[in-house]
Amino acid sequence: MNRRLLGLGVCVGAMVLSAWGCGGSDSPTTPVGDTDDINPRPGVDAGTGGGTDAGTGTDAGTGGGTDAGTGGDTDAGTGGGTDAGTDAGTGGGTDAGTDAGPVDPWPAEPTANYSDRYGIGKVKSVGLDLGKNIWVLDGDRIGVVRADTKKLVWVSGPVGQAADGQSSTVICGGEAGRAYVGYNAPDLDKDPEWPDIHTNFIVTAKPCETPVNEQVCYPFSPRRLNLYKQGDVDAVKLDAASGQVAFESHINQSRRANVDDNGKPFIQTGPSVVDGVSLGIRNSNDHHFDEDRAMVSCTSVLRGPNKGDVFFGTNHGVVRLRGLTYNAHRHPVWFKPKPPPKENEPGTQMAGYTYGLGISPSGDVLMANDYNFGTVTPDTKMETWDDTKTESINQQKVKSSFLLDLNSQEEFDYWRGFQQTTLDDKYYLGSKDYGLWNMTIGSAGNPSQRGTRIGADIPALTNINSLASTNDGSLFIGTNAGGLYRLTPAKTLEKVSGVPGNRVIQLVYDGSVPSGMLLVLTSEGLTVLRGY
């Protein structure tokens, strides 16, 4: 088994399991391709995980201030600054139930090969926006099958990060006519020029800056500033005038709810560009820490008050996007005790790559990384996403847990899917190496939950790449080499016929249309199933 671990550091603060949003990783390794070719996201390592958070820090940009959180995080601190204005984007809140939207433009037949019908061919990722346009990603090519014309339109050439030679990973649709493209990036290792600085801390002010809780003023480095350019997310749009796909923006504007010294709420934003360098997605609590670098998964909210929001799973946590703004980040974590003689010091925070990302029927965000899993009922305001302190928002049915019946906390579980089925509200986790598990919640704050293996007698269900829950109560299971399976509402397992390709790369479900639409991306192309 491939167990490439990230280097570790210390997260400042008390060690409590609700602490999901502190800082970075001290000595990580670069994501590389899996030797066993199980990685469902080309260009990003499916087995890499582990890491730590950077601790408290002072945001030097607009709406700055010292962000001092509790419980091993740096969330929702205090500070002064200016109000950045109203929230960009549409909607807000949880994904709950069905609601009125665009008329369903796609064929109602139970099974259809969209790769053949619309000329999509083989692609690495697919997504749906609120206008029911189908977005596809093929290396540096971004395309969309328009809902109005049913024609596939490709971007004219590499744009955004792709034009700079970056490697794309996933695509997700947002508001009507908009999509977000994620890119890969290496984790940052210790800098040979400045070996004592935190690996993810980047100086943005001249001549030097002193990180919080340190005494050394580290000099400004144009070389290190350019590390911000790696990875992150681009927004692209379907241009109404030309009908073509065009680059819209590199996502670099953070939004974070905060209060000033007088207790007055404001929106903390931080800088977006320094010396001509876009800072991309970096920690919302302190822009100096560039921790969410590689985008390894994403999921779109297609119904409910939050529709249009997109969540990206990264090498470090989960980032929330709305319009052209973001808030980063949250993550399930655990704390590794330090060996003697430092056993009384705060433990080392461990976080894995977030490949398992889903939206429950009630709108909860379901997160599963290489070690742990957790849930969040997202607040209606996207700028509060990283707030783990306020009990009345972002409530968690599971905070940070591992599956006791599978492995110890220290071992990777390689979660690649996390879903909750309708009708019975049962939770399911899918692993790259350990198959399908039904998870039962004991209590939210318990560091471990119980689970039961499902389908252990079916070899194909050992290696899972993706899961999808549908309106009828089914759970669809995308395997790495055995095609598509379905756990029916009656809890029987069946192989789904009519889907070309044994390797299922991605499952995307739209339950907002009367006849549910399941996009099944395999090694042979895109098939769409209707009626579930």
Side-chain angles (χ1 to χ4, degrees), residues 445-496:
N446 198 323
S448 66
Q449 309 295 342
R450 304 307 300 257
T452 304
R453 177 79 185 271
I454 307 295
D457 58 332
I458 302 176
L461 293 181
T462 300
N463 309 115
I464 293 173
N465 290 341
S466 187
L467 298 176
S469 169
T470 55
N471 287 345
D472 73 329
S474 297
L475 179 76
F476 284 85
I477 307 148
T479 75
N480 186 66
L484 182 66
Y485 279 76
R486 175 185 175 225
L487 181 66
T488 70
K491 304 306 177 186
T492 59
L493 285 164
E494 62 184 28
K495 178 75 179 291
V496 179

Side-chain angles (χ1 to χ4, degrees), residues 201-219:
F201 187 92
I202 301 176
V203 175
T204 57
K206 301 173 183 178
C208 64
E209 285 184 301
T210 304
V212 172
N213 298 326
E214 293 193 29
Q215 288 75 46
V216 177
C217 192
Y218 293 97

Side-chain angles (χ1 to χ4, degrees), residues 13-36:
M15 295 180 292
V16 297
L17 291 172
S18 62
W20 282 16
C22 82
S25 43
D26 280 342
S27 300
T29 56
T30 302
V32 294
D34 253 1
T35 55
D36 55 5

Side-chain angles (χ1 to χ4, degrees), residues 239-303:
D239 184 73
S242 67
Q244 302 298 307
V245 177
F247 174 77
E248 186 174 13
S249 175
H250 184 59
I251 302 299
N252 63 7
Q253 185 56 72
S254 171
R255 288 179 59 84
R256 184 174 192 258
N258 214 329
V259 293
D260 62 22
D261 292 336
N262 297 316
K264 181 182 178 181
F266 72 98
I267 301 298
Q268 174 180 311
T269 59
S272 58
V273 176
V274 172
D275 276 12
V277 174
S278 172
L279 303 190
I281 291 175
R282 71 282 178 196
N283 292 24
S284 290
N285 62 4
D286 188 337
H287 77 269
H288 296 88
F289 289 94
D290 185 22
E291 297 182 317
D292 297 278
R293 294 170 53 80
M295 306 294 121
V296 300
S297 63
C298 63
T299 188
S300 304
V301 183
L302 296 174
R303 52 182 170 173

